[in-house]
Structures are given as C-alpha cells and as structure tokens.
Amino acid sequence: SQTDPHCQDSPGMPQLKHLMMSDEEPMPSTSGAEDLNPDDPDSFWNEEVPLEPSALGDAVDSLLLNWSQIISNTGTRHPSVPPSVDHVKEVAAIVVQGFRDACADLNAEFAKVALEWELENGVAAEDERVAALKGSISRQVTLLARAQAALDLRTEDYFCSSLDAPSGGSAGAASAPS
C-alpha cells in the first residue's frame, strides 16, 4: 500500500525518482541474456539479444581492432610526401607488436575458457579427451599402414629394377683376376 504522497503514481514524476522513493523492489530489466541457451547454438544468432560482456569477447574485439589497424596501415596510397623508411619500420613494428599481443591474449582467454569448461564438466571433458585420443591412435595406425605400403612398393620397384639391369659392368670387373 502506497500511503506516502511521494510514492504515489503521478504523470509528472520521473520514473527514476519513483523507483528511488518506492518501497517495492524494482522489476529486473530483461537484457535478453536469459534467452541464450548454451546447449542451443542457434540461440546465439539472435542479433537483438546482446551477449554478456566477457574477457573472451574483449580479446576477440582487440584482435579485430589490431587486424583492422594492420590493414589500414598497409595502404598503397601515400600523401604527396612519402614517409621515410624509418617511420614505416617504426609504425610496422608497433602495429605488429600490438597484433601479436592481441593474438597472445586471445589464445590465453581460449585456454582459460577451455580449462574452466574442463573443470566444470569433468566427465564430459574426460570422454572428449578419450575420444580424441582414440581418433589420434586410429590416424596414426592409418598413417603407419600407408607408410609401410609405400616402403613395400618402393622396395619391390628397387629390387625389380636391379634384377632387370644388365650385370656385366661392375660385377665382371670385380671378378676378374689381378
């Protein structure tokens, strides 16, 4: 019950002042983040729902910003007086260093997120790791079989070609009496 005259709804009272003066809990504003379902990748494609800010998102933004800086600094047109070689080298070193740092930051964030996921989902992470190891073993067995087949084929070709070659040259000279 709003018996306080300051809390009564009036068309002239701004909403912020009304919220500050009322005893009721304000209704949380919906940001749309609750509509995102991590198990449903299609829910992330809704561009009307902004993603929550995160360190990974900041790292991706930084990488894109540094990439665009590299692209903008590699233009083929220059002002009427071209920059000196030292200036170009200095700018290139700064831009490349920034891009390299952004790549390292993004890599670190991916590693951090992957580690957090592994810690939160131990069984699923273990199953995923076992499946990846089984796939690696299968690929190695296939590569070893291919390598063995290639070696067998070349060995056979070598021995077939050496048997077909005339044997009169060096063998005859080695068997001649001294």
Side-chain angles (χ1 to χ4, degrees):
S1 68
Q2 294 181 353
T3 58
D4 188 8
H6 297 294
C7 292
Q8 290 180 354
D9 291 326
S10 67
M13 178 181 275
Q15 185 177 1
L16 180 59
K17 187 174 181 183
H18 174 72
L19 291 173
M20 288 174 38
M21 304 290 282
S22 75
D23 293 333
E24 297 175 11
E25 288 292 318
M27 294 293 292
S29 63
T30 57
S31 65
E34 59 272 358
D35 295 338
L36 299 178
N37 181 3
D39 297 327
D40 181 20
D42 291 334
S43 69
F44 289 98
W45 289 108
N46 186 357
E47 293 183 18
E48 295 174 4
V49 179
L51 293 175
E52 294 178 10
S54 67
L56 181 60
D58 292 343
V60 169
D61 289 343
S62 175
L63 181 71
L64 291 174
L65 180 68
N66 281 289
W67 176 251
S68 66
Q69 188 174 14
I70 285 176
I71 297 301
S72 68
N73 285 335
T74 57
T76 56
R77 295 184 182 191
H78 52 80
S80 59
V81 178
S84 67
V85 174
D86 292 334
H87 176 72
V88 171
K89 286 182 181 179
E90 182 179 339
V91 169
I94 291 169
V95 170
V96 168
Q97 179 68 32
F99 184 70
R100 191 175 79 193
D101 290 346
C103 288
D105 291 344
L106 183 61
N107 188 31
E109 282 302 318
F110 275 131
K112 179 180 151 191
V113 168
L115 184 61
E116 287 174 355
W117 182 84
E118 284 182 12
L119 291 174
E120 291 173 1
N121 306 305
V123 175
E126 196 69 30
D127 293 343
E128 193 173 293
R129 188 175 295 123
V130 168
L133 287 173
K134 285 181 179 179
S136 295
I137 291 170
S138 174
R139 282 189 299 277
Q140 292 299 318
V141 167
T142 302
L143 290 174
L144 285 172
R146 287 182 186 170
Q148 184 63 45
L151 285 173
D152 290 346
L153 181 65
R154 292 200 179 188
T155 303
E156 184 181 327
D157 287 347
Y158 174 76
F159 284 122
C160 287
S161 65
S162 65
L163 291 176
D164 293 342
S167 58
S170 61
S175 63
S178 319

